[in-house]
Amino acid sequence: MSQDAAGPTTNRVALRPVDGRPELQNARPDPSSAVCIRGLTKCYRNPWTQHVSRGLEPLDLDIHRGEVFGYLGPNGAGKTTTLKILTGLLKPTSGQAWLRGLSIESVESRRSMGFLPEQPYFYDYLNGVEYLEFVAQLSGLLAQDAHKVSKRWLGRV
């Protein structure tokens, strides 16, 4: 549990919160930031009970280019959810984020990003080439280009 000016909060992952809460309509990325997050949240709705739970409390965060950064917190704090949003695997419920000045809504923002989860999982129904094509398309390659690149990389292995 952390304490801020508004009182106690739980599961708040704001390791270096940005001063103040800018209006999201006017939010702009800091040009010196590798990662810039403003008011990012993720809510999940239980399909049976319709109960809504927050996977990520409103998060404001700047990570500057060239900086080494550790993203630590207890289970359920929103670390994985944040990374999945930044990598395009999840859509945020609200808020905005930028990678190297490009909105995370743009595939281009993820072109030079690498992500290795602690417990990676692979789809049993995809063979090696299909999996490489899948992740290449997540990075913004067209299907035809993803196929060529996947074959080339698999050949190197």
Side-chain angles (χ1 to χ4, degrees):
M1 185 177 309
S2 65
Q3 181 82 24
D4 62 16
T9 59
T10 58
N11 291 340
R12 185 169 174 110
V13 184
L15 300 177
R16 284 192 334 192
V18 178
D19 293 335
R21 299 263 328 163
E23 293 297 321
L24 290 180
Q25 295 83 3
N26 300 325
R28 296 283 180 256
D30 180 342
S32 68
S33 290
V35 178
C36 181
I37 297 173
R38 297 292 182 268
L40 202 64
T41 65
K42 179 64 180 174
C43 295
Y44 298 96
R45 181 181 302 276
N46 182 304
W48 300 104
T49 65
Q50 298 299 306
H51 173 47
V52 176
S53 60
R54 254 198 189 150
L56 180 63
E57 295 289 331
L59 174 64
D60 290 343
L61 178 69
D62 279 327
I63 303 171
H64 297 282
R65 294 175 192 226
E67 196 171 47
V68 176
F69 182 80
Y71 200 42
L72 306 173
N75 291 343
K79 302 176 301 293
T80 300
T81 300
T82 303
L83 291 175
K84 284 184 175 182
I85 290 171
L86 292 177
T87 58
L89 296 173
L90 283 177
K91 297 291 182 201
T93 302
S94 64
Q96 296 176 306
W98 299 266
L99 301 172
R100 299 175 356 267
L102 300 171
S103 171
I104 60 168
E105 295 173 4
S106 161
V107 174
E108 180 67 28
S109 71
R110 299 185 291 275
R111 287 249 164 119
S112 64
M113 173 190 273
F115 174 60
L116 179 62
E118 182 179 344
Q119 296 177 349
Y121 53 93
F122 301 97
Y123 301 104
D124 293 337
Y125 58 88
L126 297 178
N127 64 33
V129 172
E130 292 169 336
Y131 181 76
L132 289 175
E133 290 172 356
F134 169 68
V135 295
Q137 288 179 40
L138 282 176
S139 297
L141 287 181
L142 298 173
Q144 183 178 1
D145 296 333
H147 181 73
K148 289 177 190 174
V149 170
S150 298
K151 287 279 199 182
R152 189 182 78 212
W153 279 104
L154 197 57
R156 292 186 71 180
V157 184

